[in-house]
Amino acid sequence: MSLTNTVPESEKTRELGNSRRKFQFPFPLLPFFLFVGFFLVWPLSKVLIASLKSNNESWTFSNYTPLFHGIYFHAFVTSIRIGVVTALLGALIGALFAYVIDAYAGPRLTSILDSIAAVFANSGGVPLAFTFLASFGANAGLIKLLKSLGWDLYAEGFSIFSFTGICAVYIFFQAPLMVLVFKPALSGLRKEWKEANTSLGGSPWTYIRRVAIPILFPSFIGSFLLLFAGGFSAYATARALTVGNVPLIPLIIGDLINGNVISDKTHLGASLAIGAIAIAAVAMSGYVWAQRKSSQWRR
Amino acid sequence: MSKRVTSGSELVISGISRAFGAVQALDRFSLTIAPGELVCLLGPSGCGKTTALRIVAGLEKSDAGTVMIDGEDLLAKDANQRDIGMVFQSYSLFPNMTVAENIAYGLRVRKKSKEQINKRVAEMLELVSLQSKMNSFPHQLSGGQQQRVALARALAIEPRVLLLDEPLSALDAQVRTQIRDEIRRIQIESGTTTLFVTHDQEEAMAISDRVGVMQHGRLEQIDTPNTLYNKPETTFVAGFVGITNYIPSVADSKNEVQVLGQVLEISEHSSVVKKGEEVRALVRPESIHVEKASHGAKIITKSFLGPMTRVGVDAGLAELIYAEMSSKEAKKFDTGDHVKISITTEMVMVESV
Amino acid sequence: MKINLSKYSTIGLVSLLSLIIFVIPYSASLEYSLRGKFGKGHDLTNYLWIFHQEGFLSHLSLSLELGLLAGLLNLVLMVPTATFLHLSLQRYKSLVDFICILPLMIPVVSLAVGAEYAMPSFLQNSQMELVFFFVILALPFTFRVLDSALSAIPLKTLVEASRSLGASWPATIMRVIVPAAKGGISSAFFLSFALGIGEYTITSLLHWDTFTTWTVDISQQNVLGSIALSTFSFLFAIALLVTIALVSSNRKKKQKELGETS
């Protein structure tokens, strides 16, 4: 006798009932949609329109040509490199932290560490930059201490105002951000999977390779992309640290709208802003894919 | 349906103990399961039944005692070398693998050939009637289907012993009985020695060759469901298995007790009582006879249970006394009717208050 | 034994790593900020310096006001939204989820460019412009917090009970949902409050002068003082969030104990 057909599938029938209902505008969500529409979607569409207009208000793609060569192209490449490098390092370090917190910390310690991670993750900005000037500036105690121990970082060409310096600083908000976004995925790994692996004859390594890594992979990619977007577009830290010798897209856009540069380039600012959004959009679509993949398994 | 009978193994657990801090989860627990037998461990939560099962599986360590399969020391082996199949409460299927891949997992770990694996997976899918779901992912299955896949996965490796840890507790009531019967059918068909852990007495009685009732880390009694119900050896077992009335009574002597005005013999395994002591008599609802009366006790509740009907009678005691009768018989009574109740057995079990 | 050894070596390794990465730089900056006049000795000179600066109070109060408004507006907007998403409008959840992650993905500079183009002039002249954008920027954090707080309570039952007893929607939200999800709602508030106080990018690009931008300006005059200030704000934020976390985890524990005994 087969039971296949008699098993009641209450969830399925509920879904059917929902989809049969007619579309109704979700009025309770109207304030949210209006707010987001006016303060997020509307400004961004204005940028898009401006980027497609020439100085005499006719439509044109010419604002986009500078993006593909010269200093602006170079700035895009640099910003993407910073995004990738800091997201990768931050993701690896943060994942390790998240693993240790998830595996060994009790609920109380976990909530404390979560809060600290939240502060670190959001401290990307001016305070962080100052902290770094204090720690790694040529005059800082740490640098002097290392020098007295025979390791002169500055003599080896290190500078906090260089590409490497910026990368080092960014790790300080990237890794804690990774802890915040990746730990839920780790906590989603069920004890039963590990035990099922054991009772079926698998070693811990089999579990990691065949179960844990495949399950965590989408979440890891999603988190990495989130970190990338943050590193790519970070403005405040970069502004406080660089004195213009590392060209970064957010800084260039900021200069353009601040009027630090000749002002007939406003349309260029718009096209650069759209370029930056386009790169974020690529990361974003990967993120959405990863989210869907990982929430599918989480039930 | 393919019939395959593996010669089951004998599982001998002797004297295992386990303490978690100050809590003695298992206290010199012993149990022997014959080849091909299905034994249920039944008890309230915290009685140690799951700990016993997890020690056999190697997922928990024991402080003392031995576990043998066919005379071979199991505790000396790592958990992943024991050839034991295990089914968990729920969510144990690997979410990133299809049904077929889940079932194949233990075989792939054992480095079986591709043909062997495919053949065995097909057999298992047929056994649990899920051929059509072979390429589905666990999240696309209902809870009952997931547990059937978990069973197939555990049996695919031809385990020497099958362990089931409350496998039905996360399912809906209706599905639960279906899967329960399916587990039993498959277990008999495969002839696998099986240890089943549950807190649901109805489930335990329905599925097992023998049921072991546990309390405080020890086995109170192990017997066939029938014996357990009709000849409980302790008042705990009597109270835990089936529905029981606890009727306040007074002992006439150390052998006799007065219950609801009747003098009855005290059965063996009762608490030791002395004359005049206030005790509670344990009486099954089907041992209580109800007849119409003009005054006195009154029917307060009436629950239709299919062929049987249960009535709750207010006999002036702190709690209602429940009686069961055929539903045909029950038509004569209604709530509010005055009745006279009597006990139809000559012997009752009593416990000290 | 084998397991314990690997457990402690993992913990040890990670502690060492966090020591190198996080503790050393931050304690270095703490040390730096405590240096006395002309680099001699250690005292609180740098911490007190900021109080004597012209404009300290006015900038601080402006930032506090903006943070407060952003926190409140965020709750007014998002608590009802999240509530309805959990009740009857679940199918919009993934859409709102997606929208709320956008501010984290889209470069803030790009949004600032858009604000310059799109905001009507009456808003450009009102500090509410900043408040609105702070709310947008805080969405990724606050929505997540509110969402998980509401998942943790039996929202549907509570709302049905309240509505069937005759309460209006606003009364239901204020009297039933807000008290039940107090922990999550207060962290959502503090997250947007903190973001409002510390925000730099959009503030400076829209040419506003808040406490953050003011500190950056005057830090040119006194590097030590500005380091002291950021160290202080950093420690203060950690202390605040840890306190909230401990209070709410205590409350949870208490509720659990109550639930078990009843």
Side-chain angles (χ1 to χ4, degrees), chain C residues 253-262:
Chain C
K253 219 163 118 194
K254 250 182 216 154
Q255 274 174 348
K256 210 176 158 200
E257 276 160 15
L258 281 176
E260 272 163 6
T261 49
S262 64

Side-chain angles (χ1 to χ4, degrees), chain B residues 73 88 116 121 162 217 264 322:
Chain B
D73 183 6
F88 299 82
Q116 276 176 306
V121 168
L162 177 64
L264 303 171
Y322 288 99

Side-chain angles (χ1 to χ4, degrees), chain C residues 202-217:
Chain C
I202 222 163
T203 312
S204 70
L205 290 177
L206 296 182
H207 312 290
W208 286 96
D209 195 15
T210 63
F211 191 62
T212 325
T213 52
W214 176 74
T215 359
V216 174
D217 287 344

